[in-house]
Amino acid sequence: VLLLLHFVTKKGGGTSVPNVWQSLVELIYDFVLNPVNEQIGGLSGNVKQKFSPRISVTFTFSLFRNLQGMIPYSFTVTSHFLITLGLSFSIFIGITIVGFQKNGLHFLSFFLPAGVPLPLAPFLVLLELISHCFRALSSGIRLFANMMAGHSSVKILSGFAWTMLCMHDLLYFIGDLGPLFIVLALTGLELGVAILQAHVSTIL
């Protein structure tokens, strides 16, 4: 990704009529910039842009690791829980540090919703704190589960279709067209899921 960005932008930002590679870079840039502007509230545009490289790294890592798993005999990095958990916890720790840097102890007011009666405050603070901490865990589990389930189903059905093709029997070959079309449809669906999950995990 870094090499792609370098070669596209080395001549001062590309050309006015973009080629395929420049269009891909611009698409990724816009794809990341929109969530930055929509999801980060209460900050000026210049301050928001400081978070753009970190969010861009998260998105491109998730996207290209998800898509890499669609290549036959490749290794799907994001289908392993430790990888996605490490990614989500590192972002969670970073967000907490930045929250205290920007807001100081006022960051703790995030855990107490406005207009809450005083007797309910300790219970709600504890509930919000647990919810905040488990958000890192749930983000890692969501990406891992979607990638593992989708890729596993494609691999199982692909193996089933290949076994039927290798039966050397005309009846099996004709009957194999059904599983083969299902595998093709699932592959297309899994490509969409890989892109969608990268976007969802970045927003979360």
Side-chain angles (χ1 to χ4, degrees), residues 107-130:
F107 178 70
L108 296 173
S109 65
F110 170 75
F111 301 113
L112 184 63
V116 173
L118 194 60
L120 289 176
F123 174 72
L124 283 176
V125 166
L126 181 63
L127 199 62
E128 287 291 331
L129 185 63
I130 292 170

Side-chain angles (χ1 to χ4, degrees), residues 130-144:
I130 292 170
S131 173
H132 180 67
C133 292
F134 269 89
R135 194 170 296 159
L137 187 64
S138 66
S139 296
I141 290 173
R142 182 181 286 107
L143 181 59
F144 143 76

Side-chain angles (χ1 to χ4, degrees), residues 73 151-167 176 179-180 183 186-187:
Y73 301 104
H151 285 37
S152 297
S153 62
V154 169
K155 285 173 184 175
I156 289 167
L157 283 170
S158 298
F160 173 63
W162 179 250
T163 302
M164 291 189 73
L165 277 170
C166 294
M167 287 286 189
D176 190 54
L180 193 62
V183 168
L186 268 177
T187 303

Side-chain angles (χ1 to χ4, degrees), residues 22-79:
Q22 186 179 334
S23 297
L24 177 63
V25 170
E26 290 177 3
L27 182 67
I28 292 172
Y29 178 77
D30 286 337
F31 208 69
V32 171
L33 198 62
N34 289 334
V36 169
N37 291 326
E38 291 170 6
Q39 300 293 326
I40 302 176
L43 297 173
S44 64
N46 292 333
V47 177
K48 285 180 181 181
Q49 298 312 311
K50 292 181 180 178
F51 296 101
S52 188
R54 180 64 186 91
I55 296 172
S56 179
V57 167
T58 304
F59 174 70
T60 51
F61 176 82
S62 301
L63 177 65
F64 287 100
R65 294 309 93 199
N66 293 351
L67 292 175
Q68 177 195 346
M70 299 302 298
I71 301 169
Y73 301 104
S74 66
F75 179 70
T76 311
V77 176
T78 47
S79 69

Side-chain angles (χ1 to χ4, degrees), residues 6-27:
H6 170 71
F7 286 119
V8 165
T9 59
K10 68 178 181 178
K11 295 180 180 178
T15 58
S16 56
V17 180
N19 56 19
V20 175
W21 299 113
Q22 186 179 334
S23 297
L24 177 63
V25 170
E26 290 177 3
L27 182 67

